Amino acid sequence: MSAKLGRTLCVALSGLEGRLVDVEAHISSQLPNFSVTGLPDKACGQAPDRVRSAAATSGCPLPPQRITVNLSPASIPKQGTGFDIAIALAVLAASGAVDARRIAQVVHLGELGLDGRVRGVRGILPAVLAAARAGVRHVVVPPENVAEAQLVDGVTVHCAPTLATLVHWYAARGGVDPLPVAGAVSEQAEATARRGDLADVVGQPEARLAVEMAAVGGHHLLMNGPPGVGKTMLAERLVTILPPLSREQALQTHAIRSLTGDEIRASELDLTPPFVAPHHSASMASITGGGSGVVLPGAISRAHCGVLFLDEAGEFKTSVLQQLRQPLESGEVTIARAKQLVRYPARFQLVLATNPCPCGRAWGKGIDCMCSAVELRSYQAKLSGPLIDRVDIQVVVPPVSRAAFGDEVGESSEVVLERVLRARAVQRERWSRHGWTTNSRVPGHALRRRPWRLPSGATASIDRALDLGQLTLRGYDRTVRLAWSAADLFGRVSPTAEDVGLAFTLRSQGRAAA
């Protein structure tokens, strides 16, 4: 390789997908200038100022010549400051300060400070995953990002605290060989957010059954009732009875957290399903994802493989709620921009909690309700028919009476989780050869055909409801899926008329709490 040409590797991200980028640097004897080409955004385009200052303070100043850096392929956008280290090393290789051959097959990720320190960046985990898939075996990352980089198998992670350290490693004469490997990050004993236990919930046997059924089949859930009856407690405890994530699912959820800037401290994957509860004033971009510059994942992607809880659902903007319809069906969200199309996974369980009216007193006879007819109609219209039709379980959560304060405590999350795991195992055995994992993923047409079609005696109640217009075809299919979950929960081989009736009851209570 020419002494005036240097090359190394970095990664450009588009959503969770990454692509290797060749960072090429060329130095020519022309008027001093430092430019970066290859569709850099503003942050990436400012790299020359950071690199020149960092190199000077690290004892390896750049030559006063024309420096051109190309990020190839030049047709894809490059975003963020994670290209700084790669740009600096490519230029230093072109100037002869480091060995160009040693950096050519190593991915370098990180931002440079003006004093030469290497700083952490977002998206390290998906970037290292992309590098591993492309066959790269060595990556250099900032100290703050070592823990998440080490979650990827098959890649050797190196940690560089400063640019001077990198120059010492790759020095053209007498460099360190091989590169020092980053030490394992010790597990940090930090207090984790406790989700509570189902035993904390007082009374509410029907709502508890609905939560358990939602966990068994991965069904969406709507709880309607007056304030203070335990809807939020039940939603938060759904996570405690969900099966742990697989390694692939955990890597996806951690990669999304890495993109959003959530710090990943543990040296082992967290297998707990995520629980995301955005405020009712959240914008469409914060829920579904987006942004004016970098397209970041929203709440529905951060809840991937877990639970998205919309408390006070009637207070969310109508446009935000309607935006959920497509991800609920497809399991992913597509965000279109002028220069790129970004896809994020969004396979979540939706849990809605709402009051019967804005003041919350329209319960029973509604004597104490202070809402006008217009306010009540507007509030209930927020949860439109097409959205509610996609929610499998719709239950009423009534006020708790004093009689429920007895000594008898409801079942704990540990006991319920055992039943959920047994039911999930039955579903995997039944559907795995077809590529489905839970009852909620089974297409409706498959359940209406042999060998899974239920006998007419079992489906008589919902057949009649479909003919009378009380159920849509989508609602019919979701009721059948829920009936299969009931059968799995109660240990039956196939749903009976009782299971279908229970599923229809849990679904048909609707939005009205009274």
Side-chain angles (χ1 to χ4, degrees), residues 163-175:
L163 179 60
T165 303
L166 287 168
V167 174
H168 174 64
W169 287 356
Y170 297 125
R173 299 178 182 85

Side-chain angles (χ1 to χ4, degrees), residues 74-410:
S75 59
I76 62 175
K78 319 299 188 305
Q79 299 169 335
T81 57
F83 294 85
D84 285 5
I85 296 179
I87 292 173
L89 289 175
V91 173
L92 290 172
S95 68
V98 301
D99 189 342
R101 294 171 298 178
R102 297 188 63 199
I103 68 172
Q105 299 302 319
V106 181
V107 166
H108 297 89
L109 303 165
E111 176 186 332
L112 281 176
L114 300 184
D115 57 355
R117 285 185 297 174
V118 177
R119 295 173 176 169
V121 293
R122 294 181 178 183
I124 286 291
L125 181 54
V128 176
L129 283 169
R133 287 192 292 266
V136 174
R137 291 295 170 260
H138 295 273
V139 296
V140 176
V141 300
E144 299 97 312
N145 301 128
V146 170
E148 56 181 300
Q150 289 178 336
L151 296 175
V152 182
D153 294 331
V155 176
T156 303
V157 178
H158 309 275
C159 172
T162 64
L163 179 60
T165 303
L166 287 168
V167 174
H168 174 64
W169 287 356
Y170 297 125
R173 299 178 182 85
V176 179
D177 190 18
L179 295 180
V181 178
V185 178
S186 59
E187 190 72 30
Q188 301 190 24
E190 296 193 358
T192 57
R194 176 177 169 80
R195 294 295 179 195
D197 194 289
L198 266 180
D200 302 334
V201 180
V202 177
Q204 307 296 3
E206 188 177 49
R208 286 174 60 98
L209 174 61
V211 170
E212 185 173 350
M213 291 273 286
V216 165
H219 303 287
H220 306 305
L221 172 64
L222 166 67
M223 293 181 287
N224 195 333
V229 297
K231 301 188 295 295
T232 302
M233 287 184 67
L234 286 163
E236 291 176 344
R237 282 147 183 79
L238 173 58
V239 178
T240 65
I241 60 173
L242 287 177
L245 302 178
S246 66
R247 177 174 177 80
E248 181 181 358
Q249 291 174 329
L251 279 173
Q252 278 192 318
T253 59
H254 277 61
I256 293 170
R257 288 172 56 191
S258 178
L259 282 175
T260 57
D262 295 343
E263 192 170 8
I264 301 175
R265 293 182 177 272
S267 58
E268 298 293 334
L269 284 175
D270 183 6
L271 302 183
T272 305
F275 179 85
V276 180
H279 192 261
H280 59 77
S281 63
S283 66
M284 185 181 300
S286 67
I287 297 294
T288 60
S292 57
V294 180
V295 180
L296 294 176
I300 62 175
S301 295
R302 289 188 286 113
H304 179 61
C305 298
V307 175
L308 175 67
F309 176 47
L310 301 186
D311 198 7
E312 303 293 343
E315 299 293 343
F316 280 80
K317 297 177 183 177
T318 303
S319 58
V320 171
L321 293 174
Q322 296 309 308
Q323 194 74 10
L324 298 175
R325 289 160 54 178
Q326 182 267 334
L328 285 175
E329 295 289 341
S330 65
E332 70 173 11
V333 59
T334 302
I335 304 169
R337 292 292 183 266
K339 295 183 179 180
Q340 60 181 329
L341 190 68
V342 180
R343 289 184 174 87
Y344 286 114
R347 183 72 68 180
F348 57 90
Q349 275 188 257
L350 177 64
V351 179
L352 302 168
T354 185
N355 296 325
C357 69
C359 74
R361 299 179 182 179
W363 179 259
K365 296 182 179 179
I367 299 176
D368 298 329
C369 179
M370 298 181 293
C371 303
S372 66
V374 174
E375 290 175 330
L376 186 61
R377 186 162 53 250
S378 174
Y379 185 81
Q380 294 180 346
K382 289 287 188 71
L383 300 179
S384 65
L387 175 61
I388 294 301
D389 201 35
R390 289 169 167 81
V391 179
D392 305 340
I393 305 173
Q394 304 168 24
V395 295
V396 170
V397 187
V400 179
S401 64
R402 178 65 179 84
F405 290 3
D407 296 333
E408 184 177 353
V409 179

Side-chain angles (χ1 to χ4, degrees), residues 448 459-477 504:
R448 285 182 264 111
T459 61
S461 59
I462 58 176
D463 290 340
R464 185 166 53 253
L466 181 64
D467 291 337
L468 295 175
Q470 298 172 351
L471 275 179
T472 63
L473 184 57
R474 180 192 289 118
Y476 184 95
D477 291 339
F504 187 41

